[in-house]
Short mmCIF file of all heavy atoms in Angstrom, two decimals:
data_model
loop_
_atom_site.label_atom_id
_atom_site.label_comp_id
_atom_site.label_asym_id
_atom_site.label_seq_id
_atom_site.Cartn_x
_atom_site.Cartn_y
_atom_site.Cartn_z
N THR A 55 11.24 -9.78 27.33
CA THR A 55 12.70 -9.77 27.47
C THR A 55 13.25 -11.18 27.33
O THR A 55 14.23 -11.41 26.62
CB THR A 55 13.10 -9.18 28.84
OG1 THR A 55 12.57 -7.85 28.95
CG2 THR A 55 14.61 -9.15 28.99
N SER A 70 24.44 -17.98 31.28
CA SER A 70 24.84 -18.58 30.01
C SER A 70 23.62 -19.09 29.23
O SER A 70 22.61 -19.46 29.83
CB SER A 70 25.77 -19.77 30.29
OG SER A 70 25.03 -20.77 30.97
N ARG A 88 22.29 -15.03 10.97
CA ARG A 88 22.13 -16.19 10.07
C ARG A 88 21.36 -17.28 10.82
O ARG A 88 20.41 -17.86 10.29
CB ARG A 88 23.49 -16.72 9.62
CG ARG A 88 23.85 -16.33 8.18
CD ARG A 88 24.70 -17.41 7.50
NE ARG A 88 25.86 -17.80 8.30
CZ ARG A 88 26.98 -17.09 8.37
NH1 ARG A 88 27.10 -15.96 7.68
NH2 ARG A 88 27.99 -17.49 9.13
N GLN A 126 9.66 -20.18 -5.82
CA GLN A 126 9.51 -20.90 -4.54
C GLN A 126 9.00 -19.97 -3.45
O GLN A 126 8.09 -20.29 -2.70
CB GLN A 126 10.87 -21.43 -4.08
CG GLN A 126 11.35 -22.69 -4.70
CD GLN A 126 12.71 -23.06 -4.11
OE1 GLN A 126 13.70 -22.34 -4.30
NE2 GLN A 126 12.75 -24.14 -3.35
N LEU A 165 5.99 -18.03 10.22
CA LEU A 165 5.92 -19.45 9.87
C LEU A 165 6.36 -19.76 8.45
O LEU A 165 6.65 -20.91 8.12
CB LEU A 165 4.49 -19.97 10.08
CG LEU A 165 3.89 -19.76 11.48
CD1 LEU A 165 2.51 -20.39 11.56
CD2 LEU A 165 4.81 -20.33 12.55
N LEU A 193 -0.43 -23.32 15.50
CA LEU A 193 0.78 -23.55 16.31
C LEU A 193 0.82 -25.01 16.77
O LEU A 193 1.87 -25.65 16.76
CB LEU A 193 0.81 -22.61 17.51
CG LEU A 193 0.97 -21.12 17.19
CD1 LEU A 193 0.90 -20.28 18.44
CD2 LEU A 193 2.29 -20.87 16.47
N GLY A 225 10.88 -11.00 36.81
CA GLY A 225 12.10 -11.48 36.16
C GLY A 225 12.59 -12.84 36.61
O GLY A 225 13.70 -13.24 36.26
N LYS A 226 11.77 -13.55 37.38
CA LYS A 226 12.18 -14.89 37.82
C LYS A 226 11.11 -15.90 37.43
O LYS A 226 9.94 -15.56 37.29
CB LYS A 226 12.29 -14.94 39.35
CG LYS A 226 13.37 -14.08 39.97
CD LYS A 226 13.37 -14.29 41.49
CE LYS A 226 14.40 -13.44 42.17
NZ LYS A 226 14.24 -12.01 41.89
#
Side-chain angles (χ1 to χ4, degrees):
Chain A
T55 301
S70 66
R88 256 212 309 281
Q126 279 181 295
L165 305 184
L193 293 176
K226 295 182 181 57

